[in-house]
Amino acid sequence: MTVSNDVSLPDDYPEDHPLHGRLNLNRFIFCAGCLIGTAITAITSCLVERGLTPKDYAIVSGIGCTGRSSGCFKAPAFHATHGRAIPFASGLKLANPDLEVFVLSGDGDLFAIGGNHFIHACRRNIEINVLCNNNGIYGMTGGQCAPTTSIGDFTSTSPYGNIEPPFNLVSLAAAAGASYVARWPGYDVLRLKGSIMAAMDNPGFSFIEVLAPCFTQYGRKNNLGDAVKMLEWLRKQVVIEKNCPPHDAEYSHKNGRIVCGEFVNSPREGFTQKIKQLRETAQKKR
Amino acid sequence: MPRRGKKMLNSKRTPILAPPPAQKEYQIKIVTEQCDGCELCVEFCPCDVLEIDKESFNSRMLHYAAVIDLDACTGCRQCERICPSVSIFVLEKDIAQEDSS
Ligand SMILES: Cc1ncc(C[n+]2csc(CCOP(=O)(O)OP(=O)(O)O)c2C)c(N)n1
Ligand code: SF4
Ligand code: SF4
Ligand code: SF4
Ligand SMILES: [Mg+2]
């Protein structure tokens, strides 16, 4: 039996690593095996591959386990109040349209308390990229029922099984007018990174749903096991479909079918572009 | 022991042509203090390179990942991409370039 002597916690990658200087390694406080950390590295490596430096981008998160992710970025990163990550990010984008703005937050944060902001950001098609870490539960506060919890699932506020139908996030985003919509399981990092790149290319509102099971709360209440077992459970249900309309993108644990893929990619003029045009016409009239 | 055959992402296929001689050498760095021992890298490595070291602990009393078969590593970086606590990364060295210099 050996005990590691290396007790100094590193706070960065070695200098020859591409992600050197981009992440605060000692802020990864998530449960062992929770894919929130994977999403953080996926976003960061996409930004690095694009050649963006920390002054070219900003990260905003709300409150919750996923909300804690803003602390992990060595960049302008903002931990907004509960549900208000999207308005905060919209303000950043309007003040500085050259900034690449990412929102990384939980399903409860973006779709329960922040649901209103989400649909209006989609409607306006403001040029921000929103990643929702969907674990179908309020992870941080003790496993309460979320607007994404499937019917019949057990949570601490639905001890006899949930009776409320959940939101289908991709269908909601598409109906509200988002110009890029995708859904990927959190372990499929290559495809997720492809979507993050496409979201950066899209001149408008981009939404990516990332499936990142919460074994600590959801897994425990529904008897689904640890991190690895829950990913196995998820992988059995994931079906990747090409050109599937967003309203047919089934998400059902009961039927064992979660359709993943890219559902909407129809770029249209973004909100900051329209504001720019409006400013020009207003100045001409004066 | 590596649990061959019951892995989640088993992408091993029989190659049609003989693989070209290795041009790169890979080194896997594991920051044992940062590692949570979650086993995701072990599960997702397609070549059974990694295993959780059940004999050793870090200062948080967690078992950490260890390399058991470096020769099998293809440098795909799946372990680096999946690791939720950014504790593992792959450094590569170009052997061909080193020979010529
Ligand atoms: C105004 C306000 N209401 C309620 C809370 C309590 N609260 C903190 S996190 C959270 C839910 C987070 O759920 P989610 O966004 O799904 O994040 P997860 O932990 O699952 O990643 C709630 C209700 C709060 N912090 N502020
Ligand atoms: S409580 Fe759930 S969502 Fe939060 S870090 Fe742990 S596993 Fe992840
Ligand atoms: S995925 Fe990362 S944290 Fe998990 S065992 Fe491997 S190196 Fe450790
Ligand atoms: S680089 Fe690929 S083959 Fe090598 S250890 Fe990591 S996952 Fe396994
Ligand atoms: Mg949640």
Side-chain angles (χ1 to χ4, degrees):
Chain A
M1 187 173 82
T2 39
V3 177
S4 152
N5 296 319
D6 168 24
V7 286
S8 59
L9 255 181
D11 57 29
D12 208 339
Y13 282 100
E15 265 171 42
D16 51 351
H17 195 276
L19 296 189
H20 172 79
R22 301 301 181 114
L23 292 171
N24 289 319
L25 296 203
N26 47 17
R27 297 290 183 85
F28 282 72
I29 44 97
F30 316 107
C31 304
C34 182
L35 290 178
I36 296 173
T38 308
I40 295 171
T41 11
I43 295 178
T44 316
S45 53
C46 285
L47 289 165
V48 171
E49 280 165 33
R50 271 292 151 95
L52 300 178
T53 56
K55 66 173 188 345
D56 304 326
Y57 59 89
I59 317 281
V60 187
S61 71
I63 304 293
C65 290
T66 321
R68 291 298 299 256
S69 59
S70 52
C72 301
F73 293 91
K74 251 189 206 148
F78 303 93
H79 199 177
T81 45
H82 196 26
R84 313 299 174 227
I86 288 181
F88 195 103
S90 305
L92 276 176
K93 186 71 191 182
L94 289 176
N96 183 359
D98 296 333
L99 214 56
E100 191 67 65
V101 181
F102 273 91
V103 171
L104 175 57
S105 211
D107 49 321
D109 185 79
L110 287 171
F111 292 94
I113 189 167
N116 202 1
H117 299 300
F118 181 84
I119 53 173
H120 292 291
C122 290
R123 177 175 64 87
R124 290 188 185 114
N125 198 32
I126 182 155
E127 299 93 327
I128 57 176
N129 311 310
V130 177
L131 267 83
C132 174
N133 234 327
N134 184 5
N135 47 21
I137 204 161
Y138 293 176
M140 176 163 274
T141 42
Q144 291 86 352
C145 195
T148 41
T149 309
S150 302
I151 291 187
D153 282 1
F154 300 100
T155 67
S156 55
T157 48
S158 63
Y160 302 105
N162 178 28
I163 53 167
E164 299 175 24
F167 272 146
N168 185 336
L169 303 187
V170 294
S171 146
L172 176 70
S179 49
Y180 181 88
V181 180
R183 176 196 277 152
W184 295 114
Y187 58 76
D188 203 339
V189 193
L190 276 178
R191 287 194 176 97
L192 174 60
K193 276 177 71 177
S195 263
I196 296 173
M197 290 296 201
M200 285 198 273
D201 288 335
N202 174 34
F205 187 93
S206 310
F207 173 66
I208 305 172
E209 177 183 356
V210 186
L211 308 175
C214 171
F215 40 90
T216 306
Q217 304 289 2
Y218 200 93
R220 185 164 53 94
K221 295 265 164 44
N222 293 286
N223 233 338
L224 295 169
D226 63 1
V228 172
K229 284 219 185 76
M230 253 192 112
L231 288 187
E232 242 162 295
W233 166 80
L234 178 65
R235 208 174 96 86
K236 280 193 197 120
Q237 306 175 57
V238 166
V239 192
I240 294 173
E241 273 188 22
K242 241 184 168 178
N243 304 329
C244 173
H247 307 292
D248 297 339
E250 190 177 4
Y251 185 115
S252 167
H253 294 315
K254 208 169 138 221
N255 298 350
R257 199 173 132 84
I258 302 175
V259 178
C260 289
E262 209 173 64
F263 302 106
V264 179
N265 193 355
S266 47
R268 61 189 164 95
E269 201 172 33
F271 191 55
T272 60
Q273 281 302 320
K274 284 195 178 145
I275 288 207
K276 207 173 140 201
Q277 285 166 11
L278 191 65
R279 192 176 286 138
E280 279 160 12
T281 33
Q283 270 163 354
K284 265 185 222 152
K285 276 192 183 156
R286 256 206 286 173
Chain B
M1 275 303 288
R3 289 170 296 162
R4 278 169 216 277
K6 54 178 284 225
K7 314 255 309 202
M8 253 193 270
L9 270 193
N10 209 338
S11 58
K12 246 185 238 173
R13 299 208 171 85
T14 329
I16 300 164
L17 301 167
Q23 291 295 299
K24 286 188 173 143
E25 202 172 70
Y26 301 100
Q27 200 190 348
I28 314 262
K29 283 224 165 157
I30 298 166
V31 186
T32 54
E33 271 310 304
Q34 177 92 2
C35 175
D36 295 324
C38 68
E39 288 190 45
L40 294 197
C41 57
V42 178
E43 277 299 327
F44 281 87
C45 169
C47 303
D48 298 312
V49 175
L50 304 159
E51 196 52 51
I52 297 294
D53 186 349
K54 293 277 185 204
E55 307 268 280
S56 324
F57 309 88
N58 61 19
S59 68
R60 293 181 290 146
M61 297 318 256
L62 296 169
H63 295 307
Y64 46 78
V67 177
I68 51 160
D69 186 7
L70 188 58
D71 292 342
C73 176
T74 56
C76 67
R77 291 177 185 259
Q78 181 66 13
C79 51
E80 186 179 303
R81 279 192 290 271
I82 198 85
C83 177
S85 68
V86 281
S87 325
I88 183 164
F89 34 89
V90 183
L91 299 176
E92 56 183 61
K93 201 167 76 182
D94 208 321
I95 305 176
Q97 244 176 30
E98 251 176 37
D99 284 350
S100 61
S101 64

